[in-house]
Amino acid sequence: MTSIQKYTGMLILVVGGLLVGCAERIPSDQLEPVRVDVRLLETTDLHAYMLGYDYFRQQDTEAYGLAHTAMLIHDARAENPNHILVDNGDLIQGSAMGDWAAEQGTGYLENRVHPIMKALNYLEYDVANLGNHEFNYGLDFMFATLAGAEFPYVSANAFYAESADTSGKYAGTWGKPLVEPYVILERDFVDHRGDTQRIHIGVIGFVPPQIMRWDAQHLRDKVQVRDMVSAAQYYIPQMRAAGADIIVAVPHSGLRIYPEYPKFAEQASYQLAGVDGIDAILFGHQHQLFPGSPAYDNLPEVDNVGGYVRGVPAVSPGYWGDHLGIIDLTLERKDNGWQVVDSAVEVRAIDVRVDDALVALLQREQAATLAMLNTPLGMLEQRVSSLFARVRPESAVQLINDAQSWYVRELQAQGELPPELPVLSAAAPFRNGSQSPDDYTLIEAGPFTLGNLVDLYVYPNTLQVVEMTGAQVREWLEMSANAFRRIDPQLSEPQPLFARFPSFNFDMISGITYTIDPTQPARYSNQGELIDANSHRIHELRFNGEPVTPEQRFLIATNNYRAGGGGNFPDLDGSTLVYVSDAEVRQVIADYARSQTESNAGKLSVEVDHNWQLIIPNDVVVEFRGSPSSAAEEEMHDIPELYREGTDEQGYGIYRLRGKESSVTTY
């Protein structure tokens, strides 16, 4: 080596050393920060719709189903390997497959995995939250179902009750949770530089406290619930102390703004966004899209375009697997740990693609479900539908009320209930267009099967009986009349008829007659608050042709949701219960159908009792959305002054009804 080469080599070493030394002395704020992109994926309110299959019509559908959502999940994972997948509850109840699995009972699950859990295990969910419908079949069945999950379940506000006195809504000492309140998922994610970073993701779940009313027959004296916000304030500091870098709240709860937040509220996602320490919210329960649903427009501190609630990124991906919710978080490592420095929110709609492997996984259970659905109960003599059930009495509601009344009279004959009290029955049109233009009960004359019961009665409610006075019955109907907007009798242009009020809360009570006058202001708010003590929409309330007196007493068949306070109806808070049955209403209808067909040469007849009337002033025109089906076109002609105006952009038929004396009561 020459002297020049030696000198050059030494110079390179010296200069290199100087550069290294300079790099070590570069201020930290001039270095590229360490950042990691984390993707949160959410499904919610799947309601046991694992396949792209319409059990009402028994045909494939591209409108919903986890088998379709799965393709979006695969896409989203491929786009960012740093992800977690979360389900937000109301998972095991809703579709016929969920009914079939529940019918098999807890024993079936001792050596088998629930089919819904098989699907989620296949998709490798990271964590799931309890929804209110997980409790519909009782604690034993719920826990037997959860035992098959290959991922943890969380719920921070549901606990075992130490005694009957501490059951229900509770704010005392913190007890033993039904499942873990939260989990901290440890994940090795790749940062922007290509290096691996260990991230601790805390996930905390919440369930509506109203489960204590909705499923009281399963939970009374066994379970206590906390307020969701209080539970978050209690546990989130613990999660931070346990090392959570970010915290994801998963409330099975919607958005609602209250003048003053009431503890134990059902909708609390907005209030949870105000709890310090929450970095993202994956919510659900209301079957709405966020961002995007008009139901969330114009709410203070709610960005319904970007997807932020009080500055916190939040998403709600609809229901039945029709969308996938995605929140992308950019985390930056700071001196005090990882911080969210950027975020983006979106909901993705499913398409025609389907995960064939998931479909194949559940073929045996699907075949058994279809066999159950096609079990005949008798021959239906006429069409049963809910096509116009909010403007006139319809056969779908009539069949439910006939079956419930029959059941209560059987109880009277057996000495279980006072035989001298008259029997009424309350039911609602469960399928009345709320989900889609096809969401109507429509059972044509012919074989009546168990599958038709799913079409007729969507929920696994149990039958219960309340004893109420005539005055209380009137208030029940006043609350039900919130289904209608107030109609101005002086306006000549068409007015919208239906209010934003769930059709499952539009109870029609059989055994009495009455009229509904929507020109009067509502007596109650949708939350059951008396807002106009001088207003009455219910008139001509009669029993056996005579005016109902305030002190008259009645037995009324209803379901556990309503009897326990669901819908916030006055005097329906559990205090008026006189009989609690474990019989599902669908089973009651099935037993009634068998009884009637056995005594009627195999035929089931439904005769509509036009016991209530909607009063529209002469020449006033009201407008509503309805079914676009040919059956609706046919039935439309049975209602004088009703005509179809066209079809809206969502595919609903637009109907107009012109008021005329007895226009909706003479067919």
Side-chain angles (χ1 to χ4, degrees):
M1 179 180 293
T2 67
S3 59
I4 293 176
Q5 289 173 320
K6 289 180 180 179
Y7 175 79
T8 303
M10 292 173 62
L11 182 62
I12 291 172
L13 289 172
V14 171
V15 172
L18 289 171
L19 289 173
V20 171
C22 289
E24 290 175 349
R25 290 193 296 272
I26 293 175
S28 60
D29 60 358
Q30 296 180 20
L31 289 173
E32 180 185 351
V34 178
R35 290 187 171 183
V36 177
D37 293 328
V38 177
R39 171 161 282 185
L40 310 175
L41 306 175
E42 182 199 12
T43 56
T44 189
D45 296 277
L46 290 172
H47 284 285
Y49 281 98
M50 298 297 99
L51 308 177
Y53 195 81
D54 183 339
Y55 290 102
F56 302 121
R57 291 166 180 78
Q58 295 198 31
Q59 62 187 31
D60 291 334
T61 179
E62 299 169 357
Y64 50 79
L66 184 62
H68 289 294
T69 330
M71 302 306 292
L72 302 183
I73 293 171
H74 299 323
D75 292 346
R77 283 171 161 167
E79 292 163 4
N80 185 352
N82 303 335
H83 54 253
I84 66 166
L85 176 60
V86 181
D87 182 72
N88 192 7
D90 277 10
L91 174 69
I92 66 173
Q93 176 279 330
S95 81
M97 183 177 286
D99 291 340
W100 174 83
E103 184 71 21
Q104 309 314 301
T106 303
Y108 175 82
L109 299 175
E110 290 179 355
N111 300 305
R112 300 175 183 84
V113 175
H114 193 295
I116 278 73
M117 289 304 167
K118 284 173 61 175
L120 269 64
N121 289 342
Y122 159 75
L123 288 172
E124 298 182 328
Y125 275 73
D126 292 277
V127 61
N129 180 40
L130 292 177
N132 50 286
H133 283 288
E134 267 62 74
F135 296 88
N136 286 167
Y137 306 116
L139 291 176
D140 290 344
F141 187 84
M142 183 182 79
F143 286 126
T145 298
L146 302 190
E150 296 174 357
F151 48 87
Y153 260 85
V154 293
S155 184
N157 65 316
F159 302 81
Y160 290 100
E162 294 182 356
S163 65
D165 292 338
T166 63
S167 179
K169 296 177 181 178
Y170 187 72
T173 57
W174 295 82
K176 179 183 177 183
L178 296 183
V179 295
E180 291 300 317
Y182 62 84
V183 294
I184 298 179
L185 305 173
E186 295 186 6
R187 297 292 185 267
D188 289 329
F189 288 157
V190 178
D191 65 19
H192 288 194
R193 300 175 177 179
D195 297 328
T196 299
Q197 304 291 340
R198 168 118 343 152
I199 306 295
H200 297 81
I201 305 173
V203 181
I204 182 169
F206 307 92
V207 69
Q210 286 68 26
I211 59 172
M212 296 305 304
R213 292 204 317 254
W214 299 336
D215 283 297
Q217 73 275 23
H218 299 308
L219 307 182
R220 186 182 295 112
D221 299 338
K222 299 176 183 177
V223 171
Q224 62 182 218
V225 289
R226 313 287 299 224
D227 171 65
M228 286 185 266
V229 175
S230 298
Q233 293 168 336
Y234 179 75
Y235 280 115
I236 285 174
Q238 296 182 32
M239 298 171 72
R240 290 293 186 189
D245 295 313
I246 62 171
I247 291 178
V248 180
V250 190
H252 193 80
S253 181
L255 288 178
R256 183 178 167 198
I257 312 295
Y258 303 89
E260 184 175 345
Y261 175 71
K263 288 235 174 179
F264 302 101
E266 177 183 351
Q267 316 298 352
S269 296
Y270 176 87
Q271 291 71 28
L272 285 167
V275 176
D276 187 48
I278 293 177
D279 296 294
I281 297 176
L282 310 177
F283 70 99
H285 184 53
Q286 289 180 315
H287 291 205
Q288 301 286 346
L289 291 178
F290 184 81
S293 171
Y296 300 133
D297 285 343
N298 304 315
L299 297 179
E301 299 183 277
V302 174
D303 180 352
N304 198 21
V305 176
Y308 293 87
V309 178
R310 304 174 82 173
V312 178
V315 74
S316 177
Y319 62 96
W320 296 7
D322 62 348
H323 289 77
L324 177 69
I326 302 174
I327 296 180
D328 287 316
L329 303 175
T330 299
L331 311 185
E332 183 176 307
R333 190 166 61 193
K334 306 278 190 179
D335 291 341
N336 58 344
W338 294 95
Q339 301 291 323
V340 177
V341 295
D342 197 10
S343 59
V345 181
E346 66 173 308
V347 286
R348 292 184 183 176
I350 62 173
D351 52 44
V352 298
R353 296 176 300 155
V354 65
D355 188 326
D356 292 328
L358 193 157
V359 173
L361 183 69
L362 299 179
Q363 279 309 294
R364 187 180 66 83
E365 291 88 348
Q366 173 74 343
T369 298
L370 296 180
M372 175 194 75
L373 289 180
N374 292 313
T375 301
L377 298 170
M379 295 295 293
L380 191 62
E381 290 195 302
Q382 63 275 105
R383 174 189 293 156
V384 168
S385 82
S386 64
L387 295 172
F388 295 104
R390 287 189 289 175
V391 297
R392 68 168 184 175
E394 281 272 26
S395 50
V397 179
Q398 185 73 56
L399 178 52
I400 297 169
N401 274 331
D402 287 348
Q404 292 183 163
S405 298
W406 168 82
Y407 186 86
V408 174
R409 291 191 181 100
E410 289 290 304
L411 293 174
Q412 286 180 313
Q414 297 164 13
E416 296 287 341
L417 289 169
E420 72 279 4
L421 292 181
V423 174
L424 311 180
S425 179
F430 295 112
R431 301 189 64 215
N432 220 265
S434 63
Q435 310 283 20
S436 72
D438 297 325
D439 183 31
Y440 294 84
T441 296
L442 182 58
I443 307 168
E444 295 292 355
F448 186 67
T449 68
L450 289 174
N452 295 138
L453 293 182
V454 179
D455 189 349
L456 179 70
Y457 204 103
V458 176
Y459 305 103
N461 293 333
T462 55
L463 188 140
Q464 297 188 354
V465 184
V466 294
E467 183 178 334
M468 304 190 83
T469 65
Q472 290 172 317
V473 170
R474 182 183 293 276
E475 299 307 303
W476 186 335
L477 291 170
E478 288 285 358
M479 182 68 185
S480 183
N482 276 20
F484 305 103
R485 292 175 180 260
R486 187 179 184 185
I487 301 303
D488 186 342
Q490 303 303 318
L491 283 182
S492 57
E493 61 266 25
Q495 304 177 56
L497 177 61
F498 299 142
R500 186 178 290 276
F501 190 74
S503 65
F504 57 75
N505 281 339
F506 179 41
D507 283 349
M508 305 167 203
I509 299 182
S510 67
I512 51 178
T513 60
Y514 54 98
T515 62
I516 305 173
D517 180 3
T519 67
Q520 301 303 307
R523 183 172 171 82
Y524 289 94
S525 74
N526 285 359
Q527 287 70 51
E529 302 156 341
L530 183 64
I531 56 175
D532 192 336
N534 296 317
S535 179
H536 292 282
R537 288 182 163 184
I538 302 302
H539 302 280
E540 299 296 322
L541 182 60
R542 296 176 180 274
F543 174 71
N544 284 342
E546 298 296 325
V548 170
T549 63
E551 65 277 0
Q552 250 179 304
R553 304 198 72 82
F554 300 92
L555 294 176
I556 309 175
T558 185
N559 59 54
N560 61 294
Y561 173 77
R562 183 70 73 242
N568 305 304
F569 280 61
D571 299 311
L572 287 164
D573 55 4
S575 61
T576 53
L577 266 173
V578 293
Y579 188 86
V580 176
S581 169
D582 60 359
E584 282 194 17
V585 176
R586 281 185 292 207
Q587 185 60 52
V588 169
I589 299 170
D591 291 344
Y592 169 76
R594 293 188 184 98
S595 172
Q596 296 304 300
T597 55
E598 287 174 4
S599 61
N600 194 32
K603 297 178 181 179
L604 176 62
S605 179
V606 182
E607 296 183 9
V608 178
D609 177 15
H610 298 289
N611 68 308
W612 63 270
Q613 304 171 15
L614 180 63
I615 305 300
I616 305 297
N618 287 351
D619 297 324
V620 169
V621 178
V622 294
E623 184 176 88
F624 60 91
R625 299 197 310 177
S627 168
S629 67
S630 58
E633 286 277 351
E634 179 183 327
E635 291 194 17
M636 175 186 71
H637 298 298
D638 295 334
I639 306 176
E641 303 298 324
L642 179 68
Y643 58 97
R644 183 166 170 180
E645 182 67 16
T647 304
D648 72 5
E649 66 280 0
Q650 294 178 284
Y652 287 90
I654 299 299
Y655 292 90
R656 287 181 178 175
L657 177 66
R658 182 179 298 277
K660 190 175 182 180
E661 188 174 355
S662 301
S663 65
V664 296
T665 60
T666 302
Y667 315 116

